[in-house]
Amino acid sequence: MSGAMDVVCVASWNVDLIAHIAQPLARGQTQMAQHFERLPGGKGSNAAIAAARQGAQVGLISRIGGDDFGQMGLDLWAREGISSQFVLRAEGEANGTALILVYADGNNSIAVFPGAGAGMSVAQVTAAKPLLSQARVVMSSCEVPLAATQAAFEIARTHGVLTLLNPAPAMPLPDTLWPLVDVLTPNEGELLLLAEANDIDSAAQRLLQKGVGALVVTLGERGCALFRPGEDPVHIPGHAMQVVDTIGAGDTFTGTLAVALARQTPWPDALRWANAAAALSTQAHGAVTAMPTQLEVRSLLQNPL
Ligand code: RIB
């Protein structure tokens, strides 16, 4: 696949090793798992797949390892119609792996080992300038090196391409990165941590003051809220679902929002669309299994559960 992309993702790739247990482990405790799965993951790859399922042309910049898990990623992206022209395969290096515990209530805890992804360099990103400079939206997360995101967003900014950052997992960001972020999509916990604040409103204002163009905080079944400098917040309600698991729901939100913004959808509709996609993604085990198509999102919006 070649030509200009709707969305380019500077992407992490993980294999998710998922054990289902009754409740969070206590320190030093062992519990028997009821179920185990090995499924595709990685916040970047997940968001890219969410975008592709919405009918967008999607390109990846990623660094993966050389074992079977790397092939699993390449096969998956080919099936989803995602361009992996700028995916670099580091033979002899391990792939990203996420150890995930899912509890009976659908919540989870995740430990990520980035593997080959930790080696994504500024040089690799710069080599993908032809892809980045022609995209409509460039998105990234904090699972790839921050210097790689910074380089990608600098290219995007120079070429008038919208940038979107899912700041997950939350970590301190350099002062130089904030003003390059057009749209930030933290969940509530990430927002409070990043801003070192105790409530959503003051946290959002604090990050906007750092130079972020727009901030969308995701609130699970309570929906999401949009904050922009000098404007009143906009709250979009969510969907009450019988959750199977929430792995990848935030990534689905981010990838779907990226597509809506690439299509210049007005904010409230873009947020409704992303909310609905994220809600549907909770209906099966694993990050990408239940990520919806455009048709499925439209149907939920027309016939809310
Ligand atoms: O957001 C969910 C993802 O986080 C999982 O797929 C896991 O790989 C971690 O990156």
Side-chain angles (χ1 to χ4, degrees), residues 12-18 39-44 46 96-100 108 110-112 143 166 168-169 246-251 286-288:
S12 54
W13 158 247
N14 299 329
V15 173
D16 291 351
L17 305 179
I18 309 169
L39 292 170
K43 295 184 192 301
N46 294 346
T97 307
L99 304 178
I100 305 184
N108 61 64
I110 306 181
V112 175
E143 272 186 359
N166 178 14
T246 60
I247 301 171
D251 309 329
V288 306

mmCIF file of all heavy atoms in Angstrom, residues 12-18 39-44 46 96-100 108 110-112 143 166 168-169 246-251 286-288, ligand 1:
data_model
loop_
_atom_site.group_PDB
_atom_site.id
_atom_site.type_symbol
_atom_site.label_atom_id
_atom_site.label_comp_id
_atom_site.label_asym_id
_atom_site.label_seq_id
_atom_site.Cartn_x
_atom_site.Cartn_y
_atom_site.Cartn_z
ATOM 1 N N SER A 12 3.810 1.138 19.403
ATOM 2 C CA SER A 12 4.331 0.005 20.172
ATOM 3 C C SER A 12 3.615 -1.249 19.688
ATOM 4 O O SER A 12 2.471 -1.200 19.220
ATOM 5 C CB SER A 12 4.053 0.212 21.659
ATOM 6 O OG SER A 12 2.672 0.451 21.876
ATOM 7 N N TRP A 13 4.305 -2.362 19.807
ATOM 8 C CA TRP A 13 3.712 -3.669 19.474
ATOM 9 C C TRP A 13 4.022 -4.625 20.623
ATOM 10 O O TRP A 13 5.188 -4.804 20.990
ATOM 11 C CB TRP A 13 4.303 -4.200 18.170
ATOM 12 C CG TRP A 13 4.180 -5.701 18.031
ATOM 13 C CD1 TRP A 13 5.192 -6.606 18.034
ATOM 14 C CD2 TRP A 13 2.966 -6.464 17.888
ATOM 15 N NE1 TRP A 13 4.695 -7.887 17.912
ATOM 16 C CE2 TRP A 13 3.324 -7.825 17.818
ATOM 17 C CE3 TRP A 13 1.612 -6.127 17.842
ATOM 18 C CZ2 TRP A 13 2.391 -8.845 17.686
ATOM 19 C CZ3 TRP A 13 0.673 -7.147 17.709
ATOM 20 C CH2 TRP A 13 1.062 -8.479 17.622
ATOM 21 N N ASN A 14 2.996 -5.209 21.206
ATOM 22 C CA ASN A 14 3.192 -6.192 22.271
ATOM 23 C C ASN A 14 2.373 -7.432 21.998
ATOM 24 O O ASN A 14 1.310 -7.357 21.369
ATOM 25 C CB ASN A 14 2.702 -5.663 23.630
ATOM 26 C CG ASN A 14 3.435 -4.424 24.080
ATOM 27 O OD1 ASN A 14 4.603 -4.241 23.767
ATOM 28 N ND2 ASN A 14 2.743 -3.564 24.815
ATOM 29 N N VAL A 15 2.862 -8.543 22.514
ATOM 30 C CA VAL A 15 1.998 -9.709 22.626
ATOM 31 C C VAL A 15 1.464 -9.704 24.044
ATOM 32 O O VAL A 15 2.225 -9.567 25.005
ATOM 33 C CB VAL A 15 2.776 -10.996 22.317
ATOM 34 C CG1 VAL A 15 1.921 -12.211 22.607
ATOM 35 C CG2 VAL A 15 3.193 -10.980 20.864
ATOM 36 N N ASP A 16 0.148 -9.782 24.169
ATOM 37 C CA ASP A 16 -0.487 -9.737 25.485
ATOM 38 C C ASP A 16 -0.665 -11.155 26.036
ATOM 39 O O ASP A 16 -1.309 -11.999 25.394
ATOM 40 C CB ASP A 16 -1.860 -9.046 25.390
ATOM 41 C CG ASP A 16 -1.734 -7.558 25.100
ATOM 42 O OD1 ASP A 16 -0.599 -7.039 25.138
ATOM 43 O OD2 ASP A 16 -2.771 -6.924 24.842
ATOM 44 N N LEU A 17 -0.097 -11.408 27.191
ATOM 45 C CA LEU A 17 -0.281 -12.689 27.889
ATOM 46 C C LEU A 17 -1.271 -12.415 29.012
ATOM 47 O O LEU A 17 -0.956 -11.696 29.969
ATOM 48 C CB LEU A 17 1.069 -13.187 28.435
ATOM 49 C CG LEU A 17 2.187 -13.312 27.377
ATOM 50 C CD1 LEU A 17 3.488 -13.773 28.006
ATOM 51 C CD2 LEU A 17 1.776 -14.267 26.249
ATOM 52 N N ILE A 18 -2.477 -12.918 28.840
ATOM 53 C CA ILE A 18 -3.601 -12.471 29.680
ATOM 54 C C ILE A 18 -4.104 -13.610 30.562
ATOM 55 O O ILE A 18 -4.533 -14.652 30.058
ATOM 56 C CB ILE A 18 -4.773 -11.985 28.798
ATOM 57 C CG1 ILE A 18 -4.270 -10.959 27.765
ATOM 58 C CG2 ILE A 18 -5.889 -11.394 29.649
ATOM 59 C CD1 ILE A 18 -5.301 -10.621 26.688
ATOM 60 N N LEU A 39 -2.742 -12.838 23.001
ATOM 61 C CA LEU A 39 -3.428 -12.053 21.976
ATOM 62 C C LEU A 39 -2.606 -10.822 21.585
ATOM 63 O O LEU A 39 -1.733 -10.391 22.349
ATOM 64 C CB LEU A 39 -4.800 -11.590 22.513
ATOM 65 C CG LEU A 39 -5.838 -12.692 22.749
ATOM 66 C CD1 LEU A 39 -7.039 -12.150 23.499
ATOM 67 C CD2 LEU A 39 -6.272 -13.309 21.427
ATOM 68 N N PRO A 40 -2.875 -10.246 20.409
ATOM 69 C CA PRO A 40 -2.136 -9.049 19.998
ATOM 70 C C PRO A 40 -2.445 -7.848 20.866
ATOM 71 O O PRO A 40 -3.577 -7.692 21.324
ATOM 72 C CB PRO A 40 -2.618 -8.799 18.565
ATOM 73 C CG PRO A 40 -3.694 -9.750 18.286
ATOM 74 C CD PRO A 40 -3.858 -10.691 19.422
ATOM 75 N N GLY A 41 -1.433 -6.992 21.069
ATOM 76 C CA GLY A 41 -1.638 -5.790 21.868
ATOM 77 C C GLY A 41 -0.599 -4.732 21.552
ATOM 78 O O GLY A 41 -0.005 -4.728 20.475
ATOM 79 N N GLY A 42 -0.374 -3.862 22.520
ATOM 80 C CA GLY A 42 0.488 -2.691 22.302
ATOM 81 C C GLY A 42 -0.410 -1.512 22.010
ATOM 82 O O GLY A 42 -1.242 -1.563 21.103
ATOM 83 N N LYS A 43 -0.252 -0.430 22.785
ATOM 84 C CA LYS A 43 -1.186 0.689 22.653
ATOM 85 C C LYS A 43 -1.196 1.262 21.239
ATOM 86 O O LYS A 43 -2.237 1.632 20.701
ATOM 87 C CB LYS A 43 -0.866 1.764 23.685
ATOM 88 C CG LYS A 43 -1.098 1.257 25.103
ATOM 89 C CD LYS A 43 -0.897 2.306 26.153
ATOM 90 C CE LYS A 43 -0.846 1.692 27.545
ATOM 91 N NZ LYS A 43 -2.050 0.948 27.931
ATOM 92 N N GLY A 44 0.002 1.333 20.621
ATOM 93 C CA GLY A 44 0.080 1.910 19.281
ATOM 94 C C GLY A 44 -0.572 1.024 18.243
ATOM 95 O O GLY A 44 -1.412 1.481 17.456
ATOM 96 N N ASN A 46 -2.747 -1.289 18.731
ATOM 97 C CA ASN A 46 -4.198 -1.337 19.000
ATOM 98 C C ASN A 46 -4.917 -0.127 18.398
ATOM 99 O O ASN A 46 -5.955 -0.263 17.737
ATOM 100 C CB ASN A 46 -4.461 -1.334 20.510
ATOM 101 C CG ASN A 46 -3.973 -2.592 21.211
ATOM 102 O OD1 ASN A 46 -3.672 -3.590 20.564
ATOM 103 N ND2 ASN A 46 -3.875 -2.543 22.537
ATOM 104 N N GLY A 96 7.946 -6.808 22.217
ATOM 105 C CA GLY A 96 7.252 -6.264 23.383
ATOM 106 C C GLY A 96 6.294 -7.317 23.930
ATOM 107 O O GLY A 96 5.676 -8.064 23.161
ATOM 108 N N THR A 97 6.187 -7.365 25.246
ATOM 109 C CA THR A 97 5.281 -8.332 25.886
ATOM 110 C C THR A 97 4.559 -7.625 27.022
ATOM 111 O O THR A 97 5.173 -6.877 27.780
ATOM 112 C CB THR A 97 6.089 -9.516 26.469
ATOM 113 O OG1 THR A 97 6.924 -10.049 25.429
ATOM 114 C CG2 THR A 97 5.181 -10.612 26.977
ATOM 115 N N ALA A 98 3.260 -7.854 27.110
ATOM 116 C CA ALA A 98 2.491 -7.277 28.222
ATOM 117 C C ALA A 98 1.907 -8.406 29.053
ATOM 118 O O ALA A 98 1.239 -9.296 28.508
ATOM 119 C CB ALA A 98 1.382 -6.385 27.686
ATOM 120 N N LEU A 99 2.193 -8.386 30.343
ATOM 121 C CA LEU A 99 1.599 -9.360 31.267
ATOM 122 C C LEU A 99 0.352 -8.707 31.850
ATOM 123 O O LEU A 99 0.441 -7.655 32.492
ATOM 124 C CB LEU A 99 2.589 -9.703 32.383
ATOM 125 C CG LEU A 99 3.947 -10.235 31.891
ATOM 126 C CD1 LEU A 99 4.885 -10.491 33.060
ATOM 127 C CD2 LEU A 99 3.748 -11.521 31.078
ATOM 128 N N ILE A 100 -0.794 -9.310 31.576
ATOM 129 C CA ILE A 100 -2.060 -8.653 31.947
ATOM 130 C C ILE A 100 -2.881 -9.565 32.852
ATOM 131 O O ILE A 100 -3.084 -10.739 32.549
ATOM 132 C CB ILE A 100 -2.883 -8.312 30.680
ATOM 133 C CG1 ILE A 100 -2.035 -7.469 29.719
ATOM 134 C CG2 ILE A 100 -4.179 -7.590 31.050
ATOM 135 C CD1 ILE A 100 -2.770 -6.985 28.478
ATOM 136 N N ASN A 108 -8.383 -4.441 34.944
ATOM 137 C CA ASN A 108 -7.135 -5.177 34.735
ATOM 138 C C ASN A 108 -5.932 -4.413 35.270
ATOM 139 O O ASN A 108 -6.021 -3.224 35.590
ATOM 140 C CB ASN A 108 -6.947 -5.447 33.232
ATOM 141 C CG ASN A 108 -6.849 -4.170 32.422
ATOM 142 O OD1 ASN A 108 -5.922 -3.384 32.578
ATOM 143 N ND2 ASN A 108 -7.836 -3.931 31.567
ATOM 144 N N ILE A 110 -1.612 -4.108 34.151
ATOM 145 C CA ILE A 110 -0.725 -4.464 33.033
ATOM 146 C C ILE A 110 0.720 -4.106 33.366
ATOM 147 O O ILE A 110 1.001 -3.007 33.844
ATOM 148 C CB ILE A 110 -1.131 -3.689 31.749
ATOM 149 C CG1 ILE A 110 -2.610 -3.902 31.430
ATOM 150 C CG2 ILE A 110 -0.252 -4.098 30.571
ATOM 151 C CD1 ILE A 110 -3.089 -3.199 30.157
ATOM 152 N N ALA A 111 1.646 -5.041 33.098
ATOM 153 C CA ALA A 111 3.083 -4.735 33.147
ATOM 154 C C ALA A 111 3.628 -4.930 31.737
ATOM 155 O O ALA A 111 3.452 -6.002 31.145
ATOM 156 C CB ALA A 111 3.794 -5.663 34.117
ATOM 157 N N VAL A 112 4.262 -3.888 31.181
ATOM 158 C CA VAL A 112 4.748 -3.951 29.794
ATOM 159 C C VAL A 112 6.268 -3.998 29.760
ATOM 160 O O VAL A 112 6.938 -3.167 30.374
ATOM 161 C CB VAL A 112 4.274 -2.713 28.995
ATOM 162 C CG1 VAL A 112 4.875 -2.724 27.591
ATOM 163 C CG2 VAL A 112 2.763 -2.671 28.899
ATOM 164 N N GLU A 143 4.262 4.444 25.142
ATOM 165 C CA GLU A 143 4.921 3.129 25.118
ATOM 166 C C GLU A 143 6.106 3.109 24.157
ATOM 167 O O GLU A 143 6.835 2.130 24.108
ATOM 168 C CB GLU A 143 3.928 2.032 24.732
ATOM 169 C CG GLU A 143 3.200 1.472 25.917
ATOM 170 C CD GLU A 143 2.320 0.282 25.579
ATOM 171 O OE1 GLU A 143 2.238 -0.122 24.403
ATOM 172 O OE2 GLU A 143 1.698 -0.233 26.515
ATOM 173 N N ASN A 166 -1.717 9.756 23.087
ATOM 174 C CA ASN A 166 -2.346 9.035 24.195
ATOM 175 C C ASN A 166 -1.254 8.883 25.260
ATOM 176 O O ASN A 166 -0.352 8.070 25.101
ATOM 177 C CB ASN A 166 -2.821 7.666 23.692
ATOM 178 C CG ASN A 166 -3.438 6.831 24.806
ATOM 179 O OD1 ASN A 166 -3.742 7.342 25.884
ATOM 180 N ND2 ASN A 166 -3.615 5.552 24.552
ATOM 181 N N ALA A 168 -0.167 7.326 27.673
ATOM 182 C CA ALA A 168 -0.263 6.093 28.449
ATOM 183 C C ALA A 168 0.893 5.169 28.090
ATOM 184 O O ALA A 168 1.170 5.019 26.904
ATOM 185 C CB ALA A 168 -1.592 5.392 28.152
ATOM 186 N N PRO A 169 1.567 4.570 29.078
ATOM 187 C CA PRO A 169 1.371 4.813 30.502
ATOM 188 C C PRO A 169 1.844 6.223 30.873
ATOM 189 O O PRO A 169 2.776 6.742 30.237
ATOM 190 C CB PRO A 169 2.247 3.744 31.167
ATOM 191 C CG PRO A 169 3.247 3.350 30.138
ATOM 192 C CD PRO A 169 2.636 3.593 28.809
ATOM 193 N N THR A 246 -11.838 -4.551 29.611
ATOM 194 C CA THR A 246 -11.604 -3.179 29.130
ATOM 195 C C THR A 246 -10.239 -3.023 28.457
ATOM 196 O O THR A 246 -9.854 -1.907 28.108
ATOM 197 C CB THR A 246 -11.682 -2.169 30.298
ATOM 198 O OG1 THR A 246 -10.680 -2.525 31.264
ATOM 199 C CG2 THR A 246 -13.043 -2.157 30.956
ATOM 200 N N ILE A 247 -9.511 -4.125 28.230
ATOM 201 C CA ILE A 247 -8.188 -4.007 27.600
ATOM 202 C C ILE A 247 -8.355 -3.358 26.224
ATOM 203 O O ILE A 247 -9.151 -3.815 25.405
ATOM 204 C CB ILE A 247 -7.513 -5.392 27.414
ATOM 205 C CG1 ILE A 247 -7.344 -6.098 28.743
ATOM 206 C CG2 ILE A 247 -6.156 -5.242 26.716
ATOM 207 C CD1 ILE A 247 -6.893 -7.554 28.601
ATOM 208 N N GLY A 248 -7.606 -2.288 25.988
ATOM 209 C CA GLY A 248 -7.625 -1.652 24.666
ATOM 210 C C GLY A 248 -8.769 -0.664 24.458
ATOM 211 O O GLY A 248 -8.877 -0.077 23.376
ATOM 212 N N ALA A 249 -9.612 -0.446 25.460
ATOM 213 C CA ALA A 249 -10.740 0.480 25.262
ATOM 214 C C ALA A 249 -10.213 1.903 25.020
ATOM 215 O O ALA A 249 -10.694 2.615 24.126
ATOM 216 C CB ALA A 249 -11.672 0.450 26.461
ATOM 217 N N GLY A 250 -9.197 2.304 25.791
ATOM 218 C CA GLY A 250 -8.612 3.637 25.591
ATOM 219 C C GLY A 250 -7.940 3.757 24.229
ATOM 220 O O GLY A 250 -8.005 4.807 23.578
ATOM 221 N N ASP A 251 -7.309 2.678 23.787
ATOM 222 C CA ASP A 251 -6.647 2.702 22.471
ATOM 223 C C ASP A 251 -7.689 2.796 21.364
ATOM 224 O O ASP A 251 -7.483 3.477 20.352
ATOM 225 C CB ASP A 251 -5.809 1.431 22.277
ATOM 226 C CG ASP A 251 -4.873 1.173 23.452
ATOM 227 O OD1 ASP A 251 -4.434 2.161 24.071
ATOM 228 O OD2 ASP A 251 -4.601 -0.001 23.751
ATOM 229 N N GLY A 286 -9.634 -9.367 25.199
ATOM 230 C CA GLY A 286 -8.472 -8.912 24.445
ATOM 231 C C GLY A 286 -8.663 -7.528 23.851
ATOM 232 O O GLY A 286 -9.779 -6.994 23.805
ATOM 233 N N ALA A 287 -7.537 -6.955 23.395
ATOM 234 C CA ALA A 287 -7.554 -5.564 22.945
ATOM 235 C C ALA A 287 -8.263 -5.382 21.608
ATOM 236 O O ALA A 287 -9.044 -4.441 21.440
ATOM 237 C CB ALA A 287 -6.110 -5.053 22.851
ATOM 238 N N VAL A 288 -7.991 -6.262 20.652
ATOM 239 C CA VAL A 288 -8.490 -5.971 19.292
ATOM 240 C C VAL A 288 -9.700 -6.814 18.896
ATOM 241 O O VAL A 288 -10.351 -6.511 17.893
ATOM 242 C CB VAL A 288 -7.371 -6.133 18.221
ATOM 243 C CG1 VAL A 288 -6.162 -5.293 18.572
ATOM 244 C CG2 VAL A 288 -6.982 -7.579 18.001
HETATM 245 O O1 RIB B 1 -3.975 -0.482 26.340
HETATM 246 C C1 RIB B 1 -3.914 -1.873 26.359
HETATM 247 C C2 RIB B 1 -2.549 -2.336 25.956
HETATM 248 O O2 RIB B 1 -1.620 -1.909 26.917
HETATM 249 C C3 RIB B 1 -2.383 -3.833 25.887
HETATM 250 O O3 RIB B 1 -2.707 -4.356 24.625
HETATM 251 C C4 RIB B 1 -0.939 -4.045 26.306
HETATM 252 O O4 RIB B 1 -0.138 -4.532 25.288
HETATM 253 C C5 RIB B 1 -0.458 -2.684 26.795
HETATM 254 O O5 RIB B 1 0.292 -2.068 25.847
#
